[in-house]
Amino acid sequence: MTDTSSRLHTGSHDLPVSPELSRFMAGNWTPSPLPDTARVPGHDLTPARRARLSARFPGERLIVPAGELRVRSNDCDHRFRPHSAYAWLTGLTGEDQVGHVLVMEPSGPHGHEAVLYLRPRSPRTDGNEEFYRDRRYGEFWVGRRPDLAEAERLTGIRCAHLDALGSPVGRDAATDVELAAALSELRLVKDTWEVGQLQLAVDHTAAGFEDVVRALPRALGHPRGERWIEGVFGLRARAEGNGTGYDTIAASGAHACVLHWIRNDGRLNGEDLLLLDAGVETDTLYTADITRTLPLSGRFSPVQRQVYELVLAAQDAGMAALRPGASFRDFHRAGMRVIAEGLAEWGVLKNAEGDLYRRYTLCSSGHMLGLDVHDCAKARSETYLDGVLEEGQVLTVEPGLYLQPDDETLPAELRGIGVRIEDDLVVTADGARLMSGALPRTVDGIEEWMGHLLDSAAS
């Protein structure tokens, strides 16, 4: 009998297992194999991805870990999500990938053989107790895992037990800057399947925004209405996909001037704006990233309209600058020219020259989008931030104005207003396609959309 007790992740209150119970647990289980037809989504695309990575590093062992669990508190772990590069190369996206490692072993003068080291389904014989006692990995605690043969059918990759990995020497994506950069750069251009997954994420996100508007009457009556909004969107994200692709920003009033406001603990005031920045992540881990700034009353006030329409004009200018061959930074520069000129027209700035407008914009106005909300972030600057756009890249355009409530350079009526408008676009042969066009962007369009949804929710 194999002694597994020293390796099990059991609770401090667990009682010892008697020999009788161990024998009783070891037998009389019906086989429950995975369907022979099961495959990871996009399984036909991953070999070419691995081949592209192989070509970058001939003759070198490449190590791409899925990642490990992280403790949230005491004996509770954070929900696990595998590393994006691991998911992209294997197609495996589930919470059962904890600790697994893809190794690209040099094979021949130029190629590699992929080997996936994983923790297979634990047997229920020979005294093995993991399946019913281990709180981190046991099948009865967290769900079943495939065995090695099933994992090979799922992925098309040769699989081996994690215990056989040892401590391999090679380039490790967790620590090797050059390998991490290459994995980011290889994902800069999305294939057709990836664009489809991103469109699915966008569509689910649009539905989540509609849910939020319908829920506004109840949210307005709650002492922490921002949390109500977060919860409503989170329900859609979990029901349709893996969850949210990042922490939802539900920022009302002056909270919208805090770019990454995720406390979401404020009360909603019907006279204020709500800045909602949220995205659904699909089961394949591709995320949308959309922001709308909505009048909680359903109608923009004159000064809210003034600020909103300047940001919208900046976004229009940024979108118009998207095309293959354009500098990645062109769309940001185009939008910021509009912002600076608008601030000068309002008398907030003396003129539109220089970079003083940045007091009110604070950050760049877009980024790549994909498996990560800020996708491909480890790519070298010459291939991304200082590079040029290519057909198939997916990115956000999200200019904003953040007029702080205590900013004495602003007239009183502008203070405390934050507006961001963010959409997701895919670069096409002659420009860019708006993926998030199902959600209105104009003042009139938003007011009509909100009115319709609120009316339908009340009936």
Side-chain angles (χ1 to χ4, degrees):
M1 181 179 292
T2 303
D3 179 13
T4 60
S5 59
S6 62
R7 298 191 284 112
L8 295 176
H9 296 81
T10 55
S12 59
H13 291 74
D14 286 8
L15 294 172
V17 172
S18 67
E20 292 79 11
L21 177 58
S22 180
R23 287 193 295 271
F24 186 58
M25 293 298 293
N28 299 305
W29 300 107
T30 301
S32 55
L34 290 178
D36 287 343
T37 57
R39 297 290 186 275
V40 293
H43 68 92
D44 54 329
L45 301 171
T46 56
R49 295 171 182 174
R50 295 191 295 271
R52 291 168 61 199
L53 178 63
S54 173
R56 290 275 192 111
F57 298 94
E60 298 190 69
R61 178 180 288 113
L62 308 177
I63 303 166
V64 185
E68 299 289 347
L69 287 168
R70 294 291 181 266
V71 174
R72 182 185 184 275
S73 65
N74 191 31
D75 58 352
C76 297
D77 295 314
H78 286 283
R79 184 182 294 276
F80 180 76
R81 178 195 189 278
H83 191 282
S84 294
Y86 173 90
W88 188 72
L89 291 167
T90 67
L92 294 165
T93 60
E95 296 179 24
D96 60 346
Q97 298 303 306
V98 175
H100 296 182
V101 182
L102 175 69
V103 177
M104 302 281 286
E105 292 285 359
S107 176
H110 302 294
H112 288 78
E113 180 193 16
V115 183
L116 186 59
Y117 290 89
L118 48 81
R119 183 181 294 103
R121 186 183 193 186
S122 51
R124 299 186 187 181
T125 57
D126 300 326
N128 189 294
E129 298 176 357
E130 181 190 80
F131 72 97
Y132 69 95
R133 292 197 65 197
D134 194 306
R135 293 169 179 246
R136 266 193 164 177
Y137 304 115
E139 179 180 339
F140 286 5
W141 288 89
V142 297
R144 67 153 298 174
R145 303 186 300 270
D147 61 28
L148 292 179
E150 290 171 335
E152 289 189 355
R153 286 199 305 271
L154 278 168
T155 62
I157 302 172
R158 182 164 75 85
C159 295
H161 199 293
L162 188 60
D163 290 349
L165 176 61
S167 300
V169 176
R171 288 184 177 270
D172 191 325
T175 57
D176 189 284
V177 173
E178 188 176 354
L179 177 56
L183 286 165
S184 279
E185 291 166 3
L186 289 170
R187 302 201 331 262
L188 278 167
V189 175
K190 273 57 180 179
D191 57 42
T192 301
W193 182 84
E194 290 181 293
V195 173
Q197 291 298 299
L198 285 163
Q199 186 64 64
L200 182 63
V202 167
D203 294 344
H204 289 322
T205 300
F209 275 68
E210 292 184 353
D211 296 340
V212 164
V213 173
R214 293 189 186 98
L216 283 179
R218 294 194 68 180
L220 282 160
H222 195 278
R224 291 201 291 183
E226 291 177 345
R227 291 264 169 103
W228 195 276
I229 295 303
E230 177 187 350
V232 167
F233 187 85
L235 172 60
R236 173 67 67 171
R238 283 294 283 168
E240 305 290 2
N242 188 52
T244 56
Y246 53 94
D247 288 330
T248 296
I249 298 170
S252 63
H255 290 166
C257 299
V258 181
L259 272 73
H260 289 168
W261 176 262
I262 59 172
R263 298 180 204 172
N264 299 342
D265 59 359
R267 180 184 289 275
L268 305 182
N269 183 328
E271 297 179 356
D272 288 338
L273 298 172
L274 170 72
L275 190 158
L276 178 62
D277 186 335
V280 172
E281 180 180 83
T282 64
D283 290 330
T284 56
L285 306 187
Y286 288 84
T287 186
D289 183 9
I290 299 173
T291 306
R292 288 294 182 268
T293 305
L294 310 173
L296 286 167
S297 67
R299 309 284 295 184
F300 288 89
S301 71
V303 69
Q304 291 169 349
R305 176 186 285 261
Q306 173 189 346
V307 177
Y308 187 94
E309 289 189 333
L310 178 55
V311 176
L312 180 63
Q315 192 193 34
D316 286 340
M319 289 180 178
L322 298 177
R323 65 181 60 86
S327 167
F328 172 80
R329 297 185 189 272
D330 281 352
F331 75 91
H332 172 68
R333 297 186 184 106
M336 293 305 98
R337 280 195 297 272
V338 172
I339 291 287
E341 290 167 0
L343 291 171
E345 289 177 8
W346 293 353
V348 171
L349 295 177
K350 292 182 179 179
N351 57 64
E353 303 305 315
D355 64 353
L356 298 187
Y357 69 87
R358 293 177 62 181
R359 179 182 177 111
Y360 314 102
T361 62
L362 300 177
C363 69
S364 186
S365 51
H367 52 81
M368 294 294 179
L369 187 66
L371 283 166
D372 297 320
V373 64
H374 299 135
D375 205 34
C376 310
K378 295 186 182 297
R380 294 166 298 168
S381 60
E382 59 265 32
T383 64
Y384 180 2
L385 298 177
D386 295 323
V388 298
L389 296 178
E390 297 182 49
E391 184 177 357
Q393 291 179 335
V394 178
L395 70 163
T396 70
V397 178
E398 53 170 317
L401 273 174
Y402 311 99
L403 309 177
Q404 304 297 332
D406 56 351
D407 190 340
E408 295 182 349
T409 69
L410 297 168
E413 66 271 17
L414 289 176
R415 296 177 192 174
I417 296 177
V419 172
R420 178 163 67 248
I421 312 169
E422 180 178 18
D423 283 277
D424 304 340
L425 300 99
V426 56
V427 179
T428 61
D430 56 359
R433 175 173 64 84
L434 180 62
M435 303 175 72
S436 46
L439 289 173
R441 299 167 52 240
T442 66
V443 166
D444 292 342
I446 286 174
E447 291 181 346
E448 180 181 357
W449 172 72
M450 290 184 69
H452 173 74
L453 291 173
L454 291 168
D455 287 344
S456 66
S459 61

